[in-house]
Amino acid sequence: MKTKIFLLIGTLLLFTNCAVIRPGEAGVKQTLGKFSNKVSTQGTIFYNPFISKVIKESTQTNNIKLILSLPSKEGLSVNSEISILYRLELDKIPSVLENLGQDYESIITSVFRSASSDVCAKFFAKDMHSGMRAKIEEEIKTKMKGNLEKQADGIDLIAVLMKSIQLPRGLANSIERKLQAEQDAMRMEFVIQQAKLEADRKIIDAEGARDAQKILSEGLTEEIIKIRSIEAFNELSRSTNSKVIITDGKTPFLIETKD
């Protein structure tokens, strides 16, 4: 009976002093409060449950989502949904745990709040809703990275994304009116340009017709008219239709008759 009890206790100890590390995870052994420099991935870690434990952390890309009111240069508040994408560097996980603890996401959030306030205060509210947003995101990311490295090295910031930006109602209406006015101006400019092109086309057509008439009139000399008249008489002589020709010998005037 005692043997069975010892076997049962030994089996329980065997299963309680090992940890399974799954794909996308990393395990760090902590013994008497001190973290091991060895980081284990995808496998089993054996440890003494009385003096040690295994801390598991994700090595995948993580996303911290926030909804904040960001200040602008003119003193307005801009509401925005924020995504902070980060990843723990595998070989530096012990440093992160030692300096920031397992609640390191709260540290990342605090650093973001400070960095975003400093950066956004240098830009106008409309910049956060325009092509300047990418620049604002990059500056926040750079400032966050510098502040985090002062506390712990091992958090790889991938991106800071500002989404669903909501400008103050008055400013949003002003921007819409401005954009509408710009579109109307561009449309009117296009209409004017088309009208100018049409006017130029008519002028070119008129000049072409005038030049053609001028060339034609200059080319119709008396000799040319006589030659054309002779050619016309020759054609008439070969015609089978009956015609009455009234002429002064220079130009014919024809009256066609039917048989």
Side-chain angles (χ1 to χ4, degrees):
M1 187 66 182
K2 292 182 179 179
T3 303
K4 291 182 179 180
I5 294 175
F6 284 125
L7 287 174
L8 179 60
I9 294 174
T11 302
L12 291 174
L13 289 175
L14 180 63
F15 281 101
T16 55
N17 67 352
C18 69
V20 178
I21 309 300
R22 296 175 175 81
E25 291 182 338
V28 179
K29 187 184 295 185
Q30 185 181 23
T31 304
L32 297 176
K34 183 178 181 180
F35 289 102
S36 171
N37 292 325
K38 181 182 178 181
V39 180
S40 302
T41 58
Q42 295 191 39
T44 302
I45 303 177
F46 293 95
Y47 63 96
N48 186 339
F50 298 104
I51 61 173
S52 302
K53 64 179 179 178
V54 174
I55 308 297
K56 299 180 184 179
E57 294 294 340
S58 172
T59 56
Q60 299 175 336
T61 299
N62 297 292
N63 181 15
I64 300 176
K65 293 183 179 181
L66 301 171
I67 297 178
L68 296 177
S69 180
L70 303 173
S72 66
K73 188 174 183 179
E74 61 266 59
L76 299 175
S77 294
V78 179
N79 295 324
S80 176
E81 179 183 340
I82 309 296
S83 284
I84 306 171
L85 304 181
Y86 76 94
R87 183 189 301 113
L88 295 180
E89 296 181 24
L90 187 63
D91 57 337
K92 297 179 180 178
I93 292 178
S95 174
V96 173
L97 294 175
E98 183 176 350
N99 291 282
L100 302 181
Q102 288 183 264
D103 193 23
Y104 50 82
E105 282 198 352
S106 64
I107 306 297
I108 296 175
T109 301
S110 299
V111 170
F112 170 80
R113 291 178 184 275
S114 175
S116 61
S117 296
D118 292 343
V119 173
C120 291
K122 299 188 297 182
F123 293 88
F124 292 104
K126 62 182 181 65
D127 295 335
M128 303 180 197
H129 206 272
S130 66
M132 295 289 289
R133 181 170 60 185
K135 182 179 180 181
I136 296 173
E137 291 172 345
E138 189 61 30
E139 287 196 20
I140 293 175
K141 174 186 169 184
T142 301
K143 194 171 185 64
M144 283 183 65
K145 187 175 181 180
N147 291 339
L148 284 172
E149 287 178 349
K150 294 177 182 178
Q151 302 177 61
D153 185 20
I155 298 177
D156 180 20
L157 284 175
I158 299 172
V160 174
L161 305 176
M162 300 172 64
K163 305 178 293 182
S164 302
I165 296 175
Q166 297 179 356
L167 298 176
R169 185 180 299 276
L171 179 60
N173 293 336
S174 298
I175 292 176
E176 288 182 4
R177 288 195 296 270
K178 180 182 177 182
L179 292 175
Q180 185 63 45
E182 290 177 352
Q183 291 178 357
D184 292 341
M186 292 175 64
R187 188 182 303 109
M188 184 57 65
E189 184 178 351
F190 175 76
V191 171
I192 293 172
Q193 185 66 23
Q194 290 296 105
K196 287 182 178 179
L197 292 175
E198 181 64 19
D200 292 341
R201 185 190 66 79
K202 290 181 178 180
I203 291 172
I204 292 172
D205 289 346
E207 291 177 347
R210 181 198 63 192
D211 293 342
Q213 291 292 336
K214 183 178 180 182
I215 293 171
L216 184 62
S217 62
E218 290 177 352
L220 290 176
T221 62
E222 292 185 4
E223 288 76 10
I224 295 295
I225 295 174
K226 289 179 180 180
I227 292 172
R228 297 301 182 194
S229 298
I230 294 171
E231 292 176 350
F233 283 129
N234 287 334
E235 291 294 329
L236 288 172
S237 66
R238 289 193 290 270
S239 175
T240 59
N241 297 330
S242 298
K243 298 176 176 63
V244 177
I245 302 175
I246 303 173
T247 179
D248 59 358
K250 296 180 181 179
T251 58
F253 177 79
L254 305 180
I255 300 176
E256 185 175 357
T257 63
K258 296 183 179 179
D259 293 339

